[in-house]
Amino acid sequence: MEMNIAEVIRKHRKEAGMTQEEMANRLGVTTPAVSKWENGNSNPDIELLAPIARLLHISLDTLLSFHEKLTPAEIDDIIRQMDERFDTEGFESTYEWALEKIREYPNCNMLIWQVAVMLDARRIIDDSVESEKYDEQINAWYEIALNDENEEIKRNAADSLFGFYLRKKDYAKAEEYLRFFSNADPMKKIYQGRLYKEQGEIENAYKTFEEILYSEYQTLNGTFSLMMTMALEEGDIRGARNLAEKMGTIAGVFEMGKYHECSSMLDVVCTERNVEETYRVVEQLMKSVGSLCDFRNSSLFQHMQFSEPKSAFLEDLREKLLDGFRDEESFGYMKGHEGWNKLIGKA
């Protein structure tokens, strides 16, 4: 909760090693006056605020408790009150109430951003509100939040400003706020794609969105693979099989080719030492090696440019796979299976 001016004076006087009498003497007031300030029975005259701040080596904001941050619970409570006021008192009254709240906590950027978002959303959905009347103030609050040290607050403010200028069709201004997004943030590319779309650069928009899909497939596939490995290490075969099936489904959704759809199950059946399923999976893999680069021809990625695979790449891969399947340590349990030796070239 916020400290009042009495608590601030008492705290910083003690930290400065001054008695109430010493402070009174330096300010030219009586000791009882300082005592009344610290007890909350009265406040210093306005002309004394700057001298008190200098004497205590603090800013006026600190003296007046403007620097204090609200807790997440306190911010949530204010936002809840705002939401209720919209319904009971209307937009204009709630806006004025919100102004007062921000004047109370002008350095609480999380509150400022959330208040701006609430007002921004309400003025858009409420047809009775003169939306443009509030542009300047709401955007000013977003700009304040944009300079916060907290990356989440900064990104959220940039997100809001991007959306505002995109709605206004001020595309150059909207693009300025993309610099506040990390290059690793997929939303940055999504917003760039939206900009291309809105400006009629359809080819670039498609290419950007396709790059996002391709990248997200790699992320999803890698994540599922790690989770499946963990499940196998923990002996959770059922869980690993479930994850492998989902990897195959995702490969199908992203049109990555038959090889990618069936390869995820290999580790599961090998861990189980399941002879029949190992044969089935390996047979599928060998038949579908040629589909490894099928995603290059997928309609999902038709605007992307992929390098041509070397002519010997798939044949080399086929031979490496066969060498791996011939490894006795890994696949010795397949001995005696009809068709296995023929499949791996040992017949």
Side-chain angles (χ1 to χ4, degrees):
M1 292 296 292
E2 85 174 291
M3 293 172 64
N4 57 42
I5 192 170
E7 293 171 325
V8 173
I9 293 174
R10 182 168 58 252
K11 174 179 180 289
H12 289 281
R13 174 183 61 76
K14 289 181 176 180
E15 288 179 357
M18 279 187 288
T19 65
Q20 289 183 344
E21 184 179 4
E22 288 172 330
M23 183 174 183
N25 289 337
R26 294 194 182 201
L27 293 171
V29 298
T30 65
T31 302
V34 174
S35 178
K36 286 180 180 180
W37 298 342
E38 295 189 357
N39 289 331
N41 294 325
S42 68
N43 290 324
D45 291 337
I46 192 168
E47 63 267 17
L48 286 173
L49 294 179
I52 291 172
R54 287 195 295 271
L55 180 62
L56 299 178
H57 303 291
I58 58 176
S59 68
L60 273 173
D61 278 356
T62 299
L63 178 62
L64 297 173
S65 306
F66 284 158
H67 72 298
E68 296 297 332
K69 300 291 185 181
L70 292 166
T71 67
E74 289 169 330
I75 293 174
D76 288 345
D77 185 58
I78 290 173
I79 298 303
R80 179 188 57 75
Q81 290 180 57
M82 268 191 78
D83 199 35
E84 292 173 353
R85 282 174 174 270
F86 279 127
D87 296 329
T88 59
E89 301 184 23
F91 186 92
E92 181 65 32
S93 176
T94 303
Y95 172 79
E96 294 298 332
W97 178 85
L99 275 174
E100 288 304 314
K101 281 296 175 185
I102 290 179
R103 288 182 184 125
E104 285 184 53
Y105 307 102
N107 291 334
C108 186
N109 290 344
M110 179 59 84
L111 174 67
I112 290 172
W113 172 71
Q114 290 198 32
V115 164
V117 167
M118 287 285 287
L119 292 168
D120 208 357
R122 282 284 181 159
R123 69 182 177 143
I124 291 173
I125 63 176
D126 190 340
D127 294 335
S128 66
V129 176
E130 295 180 51
S131 181
E132 294 185 358
K133 175 182 175 182
Y134 303 96
D135 285 352
E136 185 176 354
Q137 180 60 75
I138 290 175
N139 285 349
W141 283 332
Y142 282 146
E143 291 287 352
I144 289 171
L146 198 63
N147 293 306
D148 196 85
E149 295 179 357
N150 184 302
E151 287 300 322
E152 180 186 3
I153 296 175
K154 185 183 298 186
R155 181 198 178 281
N156 287 335
D159 189 304
S160 298
L161 285 163
F162 173 86
F164 171 81
Y165 286 108
L166 192 68
R167 293 194 303 272
K168 295 292 185 182
K169 301 187 184 303
D170 188 343
Y171 303 125
K173 191 69 173 177
E175 190 165 15
E176 288 181 18
Y177 295 99
L178 291 183
R179 65 189 173 88
F180 291 94
F181 291 76
S182 163
N183 288 331
D185 187 342
M187 289 306 298
K188 183 172 187 175
K189 272 213 147 185
I190 290 175
Y191 285 169
Q192 185 64 67
R194 286 180 64 189
L195 273 174
Y196 285 139
K197 172 184 173 295
E198 294 298 325
Q199 295 176 89
E201 298 182 40
I202 304 303
E203 191 78 14
N204 282 334
Y206 269 121
K207 181 174 181 291
T208 301
F209 292 138
E210 289 171 10
E211 288 173 350
I212 294 168
L213 289 179
Y214 188 75
S215 175
E216 287 305 300
Y217 168 73
Q218 306 298 331
T219 300
L220 287 171
N221 186 64
T223 303
F224 272 103
S225 180
L226 288 169
M227 292 174 67
M228 183 186 69
T229 299
M230 290 168 58
L232 289 174
E233 290 172 350
E234 294 170 356
D236 181 8
I237 300 298
R238 183 177 179 181
R241 179 176 288 275
N242 180 48
L243 290 164
E245 289 172 351
K246 284 179 169 48
M247 287 174 69
T249 300
I250 291 170
V253 169
F254 283 85
E255 300 180 8
M256 299 306 292
K258 190 66 178 177
Y259 180 89
H260 291 284
E261 291 180 41
C262 60
S263 62
S264 57
M265 192 58 71
L266 183 61
D267 285 344
V268 176
V269 298
C270 287
T271 300
E272 288 181 305
R273 301 178 77 81
N274 186 318
V275 174
E276 287 301 326
E277 283 209 73
T278 299
Y279 178 75
R280 179 181 61 78
V281 171
V282 171
E283 183 181 38
Q284 287 179 331
L285 285 176
M286 296 310 300
K287 286 181 179 178
S288 61
V289 168
S291 73
L292 193 67
C293 298
D294 277 5
F295 63 87
R296 296 173 66 256
N297 301 314
S298 166
S299 60
L300 286 179
F301 310 114
Q302 61 183 309
H303 297 85
M304 291 179 64
Q305 298 294 320
F306 295 99
S307 59
E308 289 286 339
K310 294 182 180 179
S311 57
F313 169 72
L314 294 178
E315 192 55 42
D316 288 345
L317 176 62
R318 184 186 297 275
E319 289 305 314
K320 287 179 181 178
L321 285 172
L322 287 173
D323 286 344
F325 296 143
R326 291 167 185 149
D327 180 59
E328 292 289 332
E329 185 176 346
S330 299
F331 293 94
Y333 66 93
M334 294 299 294
K335 279 185 178 180
H337 181 275
E338 184 179 356
W340 176 255
N341 286 342
K342 182 179 179 180
L343 179 64
I344 64 173
K346 280 193 172 183

